[in-house]
Structures are given as structure tokens and as C-alpha cells.
Amino acid sequence: MSETPQDRATSSVRSFSRPGRTARAARDVRESHGGRRLATGVTVAAAILVLAHLAHTVALGPYYPPGPGPWPAWIALALVVGIGVVARLAGRILPDWLYVLLLIGLLAPLSLDVFATAGLLHHGVTPTAAAAAGAVLMPVAAVWGTRISLASATVIAVVLAAEAVLQVVSAGAFTVVGVAVAASAVFPVLLVTLAISGFRRLVGLELDLSLVQSTIGTPRSAVGMRASEELAQLDFDAETLLDDVGSGRIAIPLPPDAAERAGSLAARLRVRLIEGRTDTWLRHAVTESAYLSERVTVDDPTGCAGLLSQGRRDGLLLALWLLVAERSKRSAPPMAVLVRCRERSDDAPDATGFDLSIQVSGVTRRRVDPATWDAIGRVGIHDVVTEAEGFRVDIDCRVDPNVNTGSPSVRTGRQIEGN
């Protein structure tokens, strides 16, 4: 069954992804602000751990048998770290293949150190350069990626732990020391991984909120990033088609392929014109957010949310943000938020406003952050109704007729007919 122009228009509207310039801005903010400081702190902590392992090596020097001892492993580790530092200073971003090469290079100090300390655990001699190789992976996790760094540190820890366990008969109680050294190779990387994951999630939430907050200052019926990008493309496609017809490159009557293009453009324009009447700031904020779009649904057929003042809009957006940040229990259904806006009838006691409800499922009322209720209080007088799988917040949204909502046709809480 062939896809109609209307279907293509609808799918193009729904398959929105944030523009590339916004994604680049997000990466720049994450790297230039807290991300760079976090990487610097992790690098300093890794250097301290490496120096501690080096001091441990010097202290164990008299217990090694005659020969090169642990120093070949330390030289190999210094070469790998030196190549990585020089490459990092020479270029701001290291290619992935170089990272992989450096990770493979860590096998040299690991194997040399294991060979140098084999059978010496009963003297209290443990691998040091290999454990320091695990600490070297800490800045790699902060700069490149956490999964591969954590997996590499785990491999190092498993090898060191296996070496200690194999000497349990001769080493006795020193086996615990060997296992502890093995844990020291992976535990710092695990802590860094948890810290980086939390940091990236926090920065992503705050950055996305800052970007989406620009929608609260838009008029009642205004286009957002999604619509502006699509309208610009529609304008270009329509202008190209008209230019082809006007210059004679496309004959009249239009051939089937050109007629299908024209029909598709017309269908997409109709979709935008229809949605533009009720496409308020709230719908833009939810659609354009990488976090709200996954859990929040807006049901506002008449565009009532556009009547809210900027202060009330900011409170509603913050309340939704805090609700989405709550995590549902494993036994509860997935987290979902439904925002429903409805006009009041003409015979209502107060028709200069509308009713707004926020239905939350998957999270109980007592788990909601107190700041959420403060944000909801900025929107209007509210009442909370407890339900089986969550709760519902009914808000009485009063609209000041003198508040400028960006639409000259709005005098009260109701939209003038024909607008």
C-alpha cells in the first residue's frame, strides 16, 4: 500500500530531532564548563593514585629477586601514558583508533608486572604497575567513554585477582592483600563512571530545560524549532517547484511526479496551518524536549495553555520537569504525565480562565519533590486527587484579561470565534 502525501506530512512532523546546531551547543557547554573541570579533577586523582603505586613499588624493592624487577612494567606504562599525553596536547580530540591502541598498549605493563611478581605474594610483593594501569583509565573514562574504560579496568582486576588466588597455598593471608590490590585497579574507575554518568545526566537535564524555557516567551500561537525548520524547508521546496514551472523546466499540465510533489507540499502546508491554530508554547516545549517528549502528553485542542502569563508558564514547565525527574518503582507502571486543558462553558461562574489537569501515573504523591508543589502553586489554585496508579492535579487557571498573551484576538479566557 503506497504512502499518501498526508501520511508523509504527518510522519515528517512527528519524526522531529533537535537541530544540529543545538546538539553542538549542548556538547560545547558540557565540555567547556563543568565537563572540563570534572576531567581535570579525575586526572589529578589518577596522578595521585599512580604516584602512590610508584611509592609502593619503591618500598617493595628489597623483596624482589635479583634482576630488573618491576621497572620494565613501569617503563612500558610510562611510554603508553606519555604517548597519550603528547597526542592529547597536539590535538584537542584524539581519534578512536588511537584510544584503542593505547588500551591495547596497557597489556604490556600488565603482563610484565604479573611476570615480575609471580610467586612472590608470600613475601608481600604485589603488582603495582598493573594496578597503576587501572588508575590511568580514570581520565580515559572522563574524556572518551566509560563503558570501555570500565571493561578494561575489570580485565586488569580479574587478571590480578587470578594471580593472587593461584598463590593462596603459599601466600596464605597475603592473598587478601593481592585481592585488595586487584580491587584497587577497578574500584576508582567504577567511582569515576558513576560520577560521570550522574554529571552527564544532570547537565543534560539542565541544558535541555534552559533551551526549552525559551518557549515560555512566545505568543499564544507561535511556531517552535520543529515548525520553523519544517516551514523553512516547505518554503524552499515550494519556491523551487514554482521556479521550475515558471522557467518552463516543468511543463503544464504537471507530469505525475511533479503533481505528486505539489500534492505533498499542499498536504504538509495544510497540516501546519491546522496545527498552528492550537500549537501553543506548551506543545512546543514538550515536543522539542528530549526528556519531556518521552513521558509527557499534551491534550489542548483549543490552545488554552497560550493564555497563561510567562510566570505561570514557567511554573507549569518547571512542575512538569520535576515530575519527569521522579523515578517510578519497579513494580509500578512506566512514568507518564498527561496535561489536559479545557475551556469553561459560558454559564460557568468564572469564564475568564480554563481548567488544567495534570494526571501522573507510575509515581505516588508522597514521592513528589516539595518544589513541584511550589511550582504548581504558581500556576493557580490546585487540588490533588489520589488515584490507584498515581494522582491527578486539578488546577484552576485564572486568566487576566489585561495580560498580553501575544494574540490581539484574546480579551478573556476564551478564544474569539473565527480566529
Side-chain angles (χ1 to χ4, degrees):
M1 186 174 176
S2 61
E3 186 181 24
T4 63
Q6 290 83 354
D7 295 335
R8 285 195 295 269
T10 303
S11 62
S12 65
V13 170
R14 293 179 179 175
S15 60
F16 166 75
S17 59
R18 190 176 295 283
R21 62 179 181 271
T22 307
R24 288 193 299 271
R27 289 194 299 268
D28 292 341
V29 169
R30 184 183 294 115
E31 181 178 354
S32 300
H33 292 75
R36 184 172 298 175
R37 295 180 181 179
L38 178 62
T40 302
V42 169
T43 303
V44 171
I48 294 174
L49 289 176
V50 171
L51 291 176
H53 286 296
L54 182 59
H56 189 203
T57 304
V58 175
L60 293 176
Y63 299 96
Y64 281 94
W71 302 116
W74 276 100
I75 293 174
L77 179 63
L79 288 175
V80 173
V81 174
I83 294 174
V85 171
V86 171
R88 180 69 177 176
L89 294 177
R92 183 181 177 185
I93 300 177
L94 269 65
D96 292 343
W97 62 268
L98 183 57
Y99 275 114
V100 174
L101 220 65
L102 294 176
L103 291 178
I104 296 175
L106 291 178
L107 293 175
L110 173 62
S111 57
L112 289 173
D113 204 18
V114 169
F115 177 77
T117 58
L120 299 177
L121 188 56
H122 62 283
H123 293 305
V125 178
T126 58
T128 53
V136 168
L137 292 171
M138 293 168 59
V140 176
V143 175
W144 189 40
T146 56
R147 293 184 178 179
I148 297 180
S149 301
L150 184 59
S152 302
T154 303
V155 170
I156 295 175
V158 168
V159 172
L160 297 183
E163 182 195 17
V165 171
L166 290 176
Q167 302 179 65
V168 64
V169 176
S170 60
F174 282 108
T175 306
V176 179
V177 178
V179 174
V181 171
S184 69
V186 67
F187 189 68
V189 183
L190 178 61
L191 291 180
V192 169
T193 299
L194 295 176
I196 291 174
S197 300
F199 171 78
R200 288 177 177 173
R201 182 175 181 272
L202 177 62
V203 171
L205 282 169
E206 294 294 334
L207 180 60
D208 200 75
L209 175 59
S210 300
L211 293 173
V212 176
Q213 273 182 328
S214 61
T215 60
I216 67 175
T218 59
R220 179 178 183 182
S221 298
V223 296
M225 287 187 296
R226 168 176 60 84
S228 60
E229 294 276 333
E230 185 188 1
L231 287 174
Q233 185 63 42
L234 280 173
D235 179 70
F236 176 77
D237 293 342
E239 186 176 342
T240 302
L241 181 60
L242 292 175
D243 183 66
D244 290 341
V245 174
S247 61
R249 288 190 292 269
I250 297 180
I252 295 181
L254 298 178
D257 56 341
E260 186 177 359
R261 271 179 61 197
S264 175
L265 289 173
R268 291 164 64 188
L269 282 171
R270 284 196 297 270
V271 169
R272 285 283 0 128
L273 289 174
I274 293 172
E275 287 192 351
R277 297 173 63 89
T278 58
D279 225 1
T280 63
W281 69 273
L282 181 58
R283 198 180 300 274
H284 296 319
V286 171
T287 304
E288 295 162 8
S289 168
Y291 296 93
L292 295 180
S293 59
E294 298 177 355
R295 297 183 177 181
V296 179
T297 304
V298 178
D299 181 15
D300 187 9
T302 57
C304 293
L307 297 171
L308 294 174
S309 62
Q310 290 194 15
R312 296 174 187 268
R313 293 180 182 186
D314 186 65
L316 178 58
L317 182 60
L318 181 59
L320 294 177
W321 215 267
L322 293 173
L323 287 172
V324 168
E326 299 292 339
R327 295 188 176 182
S328 57
K329 294 182 178 180
R330 295 181 180 179
S331 58
M335 171 72 173
V337 179
L338 173 62
V339 182
R340 182 180 289 109
C341 302
R342 290 293 184 267
E343 289 183 338
R344 294 173 183 167
S345 58
D346 295 329
D347 56 353
D350 184 7
T352 60
F354 62 94
D355 296 323
L356 186 148
S357 67
I358 304 176
Q359 187 168 358
V360 182
S361 60
V363 174
T364 59
R365 176 181 175 179
R366 65 176 181 274
R367 297 189 61 195
V368 176
D369 192 295
T372 306
W373 305 116
D374 295 337
I376 292 176
R378 294 165 55 187
V379 183
I381 301 174
H382 61 277
D383 183 29
V384 183
V385 179
T386 303
E387 298 181 346
E389 297 180 349
F391 61 93
R392 187 183 77 250
V393 183
D394 297 326
I395 306 176
D396 178 12
C397 296
R398 300 180 183 273
V399 179
D400 185 357
N402 298 321
V403 173
N404 180 20
T405 60
S407 177
S409 61
V410 177
R411 290 194 310 232
T412 65
R414 297 179 56 81
Q415 182 180 4
I416 292 181
E417 233 175 294
N419 182 32

